[in-house]
mmCIF file of all heavy atoms in Angstrom:
data_model
loop_
_atom_site.group_PDB
_atom_site.id
_atom_site.type_symbol
_atom_site.label_atom_id
_atom_site.label_comp_id
_atom_site.label_asym_id
_atom_site.label_seq_id
_atom_site.Cartn_x
_atom_site.Cartn_y
_atom_site.Cartn_z
ATOM 1 N N ALA A 1 -65.008 0.509 18.006
ATOM 2 C CA ALA A 1 -65.416 1.329 16.866
ATOM 3 C C ALA A 1 -64.568 2.602 16.839
ATOM 4 O O ALA A 1 -64.148 3.112 17.877
ATOM 5 C CB ALA A 1 -66.891 1.674 16.962
ATOM 6 N N LYS A 2 -64.341 3.108 15.634
ATOM 7 C CA LYS A 2 -63.555 4.335 15.467
ATOM 8 C C LYS A 2 -64.385 5.337 14.670
ATOM 9 O O LYS A 2 -64.766 5.067 13.534
ATOM 10 C CB LYS A 2 -62.243 4.033 14.754
ATOM 11 C CG LYS A 2 -61.315 3.126 15.553
ATOM 12 C CD LYS A 2 -60.017 2.859 14.808
ATOM 13 C CE LYS A 2 -59.103 1.950 15.633
ATOM 14 N NZ LYS A 2 -57.827 1.651 14.902
ATOM 15 N N ILE A 3 -64.649 6.471 15.289
ATOM 16 C CA ILE A 3 -65.469 7.514 14.684
ATOM 17 C C ILE A 3 -64.568 8.713 14.391
ATOM 18 O O ILE A 3 -63.829 9.175 15.271
ATOM 19 C CB ILE A 3 -66.620 7.947 15.616
ATOM 20 C CG1 ILE A 3 -67.373 6.718 16.156
ATOM 21 C CG2 ILE A 3 -67.550 8.903 14.886
ATOM 22 C CD1 ILE A 3 -68.041 5.874 15.105
ATOM 23 N N GLY A 4 -64.640 9.221 13.172
ATOM 24 C CA GLY A 4 -63.776 10.315 12.765
ATOM 25 C C GLY A 4 -64.210 11.658 13.335
ATOM 26 O O GLY A 4 -64.954 11.738 14.313
ATOM 27 N N GLU A 5 -63.764 12.719 12.694
ATOM 28 C CA GLU A 5 -64.006 14.074 13.168
ATOM 29 C C GLU A 5 -65.211 14.696 12.458
ATOM 30 O O GLU A 5 -65.451 14.437 11.286
ATOM 31 C CB GLU A 5 -62.751 14.915 12.948
ATOM 32 C CG GLU A 5 -61.572 14.375 13.755
ATOM 33 C CD GLU A 5 -60.257 15.032 13.425
ATOM 34 O OE1 GLU A 5 -60.168 15.720 12.381
ATOM 35 O OE2 GLU A 5 -59.302 14.871 14.208
ATOM 36 N N HIS A 6 -65.968 15.494 13.225
ATOM 37 C CA HIS A 6 -67.136 16.206 12.690
ATOM 38 C C HIS A 6 -68.163 15.251 12.083
ATOM 39 O O HIS A 6 -68.738 15.494 11.024
ATOM 40 C CB HIS A 6 -66.692 17.258 11.678
ATOM 41 C CG HIS A 6 -65.701 18.234 12.255
ATOM 42 N ND1 HIS A 6 -66.076 19.270 13.069
ATOM 43 C CD2 HIS A 6 -64.350 18.282 12.167
ATOM 44 C CE1 HIS A 6 -64.995 19.944 13.449
ATOM 45 N NE2 HIS A 6 -63.940 19.355 12.927
ATOM 46 N N VAL A 7 -68.385 14.159 12.776
ATOM 47 C CA VAL A 7 -69.353 13.134 12.369
ATOM 48 C C VAL A 7 -70.668 13.375 13.108
ATOM 49 O O VAL A 7 -70.682 13.837 14.259
ATOM 50 C CB VAL A 7 -68.809 11.727 12.674
ATOM 51 C CG1 VAL A 7 -69.858 10.651 12.420
ATOM 52 C CG2 VAL A 7 -67.545 11.460 11.859
ATOM 53 N N ILE A 8 -71.779 13.036 12.467
ATOM 54 C CA ILE A 8 -73.082 13.034 13.118
ATOM 55 C C ILE A 8 -73.528 11.584 13.290
ATOM 56 O O ILE A 8 -73.710 10.870 12.299
ATOM 57 C CB ILE A 8 -74.138 13.797 12.297
ATOM 58 C CG1 ILE A 8 -73.729 15.261 12.110
ATOM 59 C CG2 ILE A 8 -75.514 13.708 12.965
ATOM 60 C CD1 ILE A 8 -74.581 15.989 11.095
ATOM 61 N N ILE A 9 -73.665 11.157 14.529
ATOM 62 C CA ILE A 9 -74.238 9.848 14.839
ATOM 63 C C ILE A 9 -75.642 10.148 15.365
ATOM 64 O O ILE A 9 -75.824 10.546 16.519
ATOM 65 C CB ILE A 9 -73.397 9.083 15.875
ATOM 66 C CG1 ILE A 9 -71.944 8.958 15.425
ATOM 67 C CG2 ILE A 9 -74.016 7.717 16.148
ATOM 68 C CD1 ILE A 9 -71.751 8.155 14.156
ATOM 69 N N ASN A 10 -76.635 9.969 14.521
ATOM 70 C CA ASN A 10 -77.952 10.504 14.811
ATOM 71 C C ASN A 10 -78.774 9.572 15.708
ATOM 72 O O ASN A 10 -78.350 8.474 16.068
ATOM 73 C CB ASN A 10 -78.685 10.815 13.504
ATOM 74 C CG ASN A 10 -79.463 12.116 13.574
ATOM 75 O OD1 ASN A 10 -80.120 12.396 14.568
ATOM 76 N ND2 ASN A 10 -79.391 12.905 12.513
ATOM 77 N N THR A 11 -79.971 10.021 16.029
ATOM 78 C CA THR A 11 -80.832 9.405 17.031
ATOM 79 C C THR A 11 -81.052 7.905 16.793
ATOM 80 O O THR A 11 -81.441 7.491 15.708
ATOM 81 C CB THR A 11 -82.196 10.110 17.032
ATOM 82 O OG1 THR A 11 -81.996 11.518 17.123
ATOM 83 C CG2 THR A 11 -83.057 9.645 18.186
ATOM 84 N N SER A 12 -80.756 7.114 17.818
ATOM 85 C CA SER A 12 -81.027 5.660 17.825
ATOM 86 C C SER A 12 -80.279 4.892 16.744
ATOM 87 O O SER A 12 -80.659 3.767 16.397
ATOM 88 C CB SER A 12 -82.530 5.385 17.705
ATOM 89 O OG SER A 12 -83.224 5.944 18.805
ATOM 90 N N SER A 13 -79.218 5.464 16.200
ATOM 91 C CA SER A 13 -78.392 4.709 15.250
ATOM 92 C C SER A 13 -77.435 3.799 16.025
ATOM 93 O O SER A 13 -77.163 4.018 17.207
ATOM 94 C CB SER A 13 -77.626 5.649 14.327
ATOM 95 O OG SER A 13 -76.820 6.540 15.079
ATOM 96 N N ILE A 14 -76.934 2.767 15.332
ATOM 97 C CA ILE A 14 -76.075 1.774 15.978
ATOM 98 C C ILE A 14 -74.800 1.612 15.158
ATOM 99 O O ILE A 14 -74.853 1.349 13.951
ATOM 100 C CB ILE A 14 -76.787 0.418 16.118
ATOM 101 C CG1 ILE A 14 -78.029 0.563 17.004
ATOM 102 C CG2 ILE A 14 -75.836 -0.638 16.693
ATOM 103 C CD1 ILE A 14 -78.877 -0.700 17.067
ATOM 104 N N ILE A 15 -73.672 1.747 15.829
ATOM 105 C CA ILE A 15 -72.356 1.501 15.226
ATOM 106 C C ILE A 15 -71.773 0.299 15.950
ATOM 107 O O ILE A 15 -71.407 0.376 17.128
ATOM 108 C CB ILE A 15 -71.418 2.718 15.378
ATOM 109 C CG1 ILE A 15 -72.146 4.024 15.026
ATOM 110 C CG2 ILE A 15 -70.158 2.510 14.554
ATOM 111 C CD1 ILE A 15 -72.618 4.123 13.612
ATOM 112 N N GLU A 16 -71.690 -0.825 15.260
ATOM 113 C CA GLU A 16 -71.276 -2.058 15.927
ATOM 114 C C GLU A 16 -69.746 -2.153 16.046
ATOM 115 O O GLU A 16 -69.003 -1.295 15.571
ATOM 116 C CB GLU A 16 -71.847 -3.265 15.185
ATOM 117 C CG GLU A 16 -73.268 -3.623 15.610
ATOM 118 C CD GLU A 16 -73.355 -4.114 17.048
ATOM 119 O OE1 GLU A 16 -72.295 -4.390 17.674
ATOM 120 O OE2 GLU A 16 -74.475 -4.217 17.564
ATOM 121 N N HIS A 17 -69.311 -3.236 16.689
ATOM 122 C CA HIS A 17 -67.901 -3.427 17.017
ATOM 123 C C HIS A 17 -66.993 -3.324 15.791
ATOM 124 O O HIS A 17 -67.323 -3.784 14.696
ATOM 125 C CB HIS A 17 -67.697 -4.794 17.689
ATOM 126 C CG HIS A 17 -67.998 -5.946 16.762
ATOM 127 N ND1 HIS A 17 -67.067 -6.502 15.915
ATOM 128 C CD2 HIS A 17 -69.150 -6.633 16.540
ATOM 129 C CE1 HIS A 17 -67.609 -7.478 15.220
ATOM 130 N NE2 HIS A 17 -68.881 -7.581 15.578
ATOM 131 N N ASP A 18 -65.860 -2.685 15.981
ATOM 132 C CA ASP A 18 -64.789 -2.600 14.980
ATOM 133 C C ASP A 18 -65.175 -1.838 13.715
ATOM 134 O O ASP A 18 -64.445 -1.871 12.724
ATOM 135 C CB ASP A 18 -64.273 -3.997 14.599
ATOM 136 C CG ASP A 18 -63.728 -4.746 15.801
ATOM 137 O OD1 ASP A 18 -62.723 -4.278 16.366
ATOM 138 O OD2 ASP A 18 -64.318 -5.777 16.181
ATOM 139 N N ALA A 19 -66.302 -1.162 13.729
ATOM 140 C CA ALA A 19 -66.665 -0.330 12.579
ATOM 141 C C ALA A 19 -65.760 0.904 12.547
ATOM 142 O O ALA A 19 -65.296 1.388 13.580
ATOM 143 C CB ALA A 19 -68.125 0.091 12.661
ATOM 144 N N VAL A 20 -65.528 1.405 11.331
ATOM 145 C CA VAL A 20 -64.715 2.603 11.143
ATOM 146 C C VAL A 20 -65.548 3.616 10.362
ATOM 147 O O VAL A 20 -66.015 3.324 9.258
ATOM 148 C CB VAL A 20 -63.408 2.297 10.384
ATOM 149 C CG1 VAL A 20 -62.617 3.582 10.141
ATOM 150 C CG2 VAL A 20 -62.568 1.292 11.160
ATOM 151 N N VAL A 21 -65.741 4.779 10.941
ATOM 152 C CA VAL A 21 -66.559 5.824 10.331
ATOM 153 C C VAL A 21 -65.664 7.031 10.097
ATOM 154 O O VAL A 21 -65.094 7.594 11.036
ATOM 155 C CB VAL A 21 -67.743 6.205 11.246
ATOM 156 C CG1 VAL A 21 -68.559 7.332 10.621
ATOM 157 C CG2 VAL A 21 -68.621 4.978 11.501
ATOM 158 N N GLY A 22 -65.519 7.440 8.831
ATOM 159 C CA GLY A 22 -64.624 8.534 8.494
ATOM 160 C C GLY A 22 -65.179 9.891 8.880
ATOM 161 O O GLY A 22 -66.340 10.042 9.287
ATOM 162 N N SER A 23 -64.355 10.904 8.744
ATOM 163 C CA SER A 23 -64.747 12.265 9.085
ATOM 164 C C SER A 23 -65.857 12.771 8.159
ATOM 165 O O SER A 23 -65.961 12.351 7.005
ATOM 166 C CB SER A 23 -63.545 13.192 8.997
ATOM 167 O OG SER A 23 -62.562 12.823 9.952
ATOM 168 N N TYR A 24 -66.688 13.662 8.700
ATOM 169 C CA TYR A 24 -67.778 14.332 7.983
ATOM 170 C C TYR A 24 -68.886 13.382 7.522
ATOM 171 O O TYR A 24 -69.690 13.723 6.659
ATOM 172 C CB TYR A 24 -67.244 15.133 6.783
ATOM 173 C CG TYR A 24 -66.119 16.045 7.143
ATOM 174 C CD1 TYR A 24 -64.822 15.783 6.731
ATOM 175 C CD2 TYR A 24 -66.338 17.164 7.946
ATOM 176 C CE1 TYR A 24 -63.774 16.617 7.086
ATOM 177 C CE2 TYR A 24 -65.290 18.002 8.309
ATOM 178 C CZ TYR A 24 -64.011 17.725 7.872
ATOM 179 O OH TYR A 24 -62.965 18.546 8.230
ATOM 180 N N VAL A 25 -68.955 12.202 8.105
ATOM 181 C CA VAL A 25 -70.031 11.255 7.803
ATOM 182 C C VAL A 25 -71.270 11.647 8.603
ATOM 183 O O VAL A 25 -71.186 12.212 9.694
ATOM 184 C CB VAL A 25 -69.583 9.816 8.145
ATOM 185 C CG1 VAL A 25 -70.762 8.844 8.183
ATOM 186 C CG2 VAL A 25 -68.529 9.344 7.145
ATOM 187 N N HIS A 26 -72.447 11.318 8.056
ATOM 188 C CA HIS A 26 -73.710 11.444 8.787
ATOM 189 C C HIS A 26 -74.387 10.075 8.775
ATOM 190 O O HIS A 26 -74.727 9.557 7.714
ATOM 191 C CB HIS A 26 -74.611 12.490 8.114
ATOM 192 C CG HIS A 26 -75.882 12.757 8.867
ATOM 193 N ND1 HIS A 26 -76.696 13.819 8.570
ATOM 194 C CD2 HIS A 26 -76.501 12.106 9.895
ATOM 195 C CE1 HIS A 26 -77.743 13.828 9.377
ATOM 196 N NE2 HIS A 26 -77.651 12.785 10.183
ATOM 197 N N VAL A 27 -74.554 9.499 9.959
ATOM 198 C CA VAL A 27 -75.307 8.257 10.124
ATOM 199 C C VAL A 27 -76.684 8.655 10.649
ATOM 200 O O VAL A 27 -76.823 9.093 11.786
ATOM 201 C CB VAL A 27 -74.596 7.291 11.087
ATOM 202 C CG1 VAL A 27 -75.393 5.987 11.204
ATOM 203 C CG2 VAL A 27 -73.172 6.998 10.614
#
């Protein structure tokens, strides 16, 4: 998985294999 800059990956969230999350995202 690739997580960008200034991202919030919040409590008990799941980012599975090969996912791409851009900068300034909130999950």
Side-chain angles (χ1 to χ4, degrees):
K2 296 180 180 179
I3 311 298
E5 297 171 345
H6 304 282
V7 173
I8 300 169
I9 305 297
N10 220 317
T11 309
S12 299
S13 57
I14 298 174
I15 314 297
E16 275 294 349
H17 65 88
D18 301 296
V20 177
V21 178
S23 296
Y24 309 109
V25 166
H26 185 168
V27 182

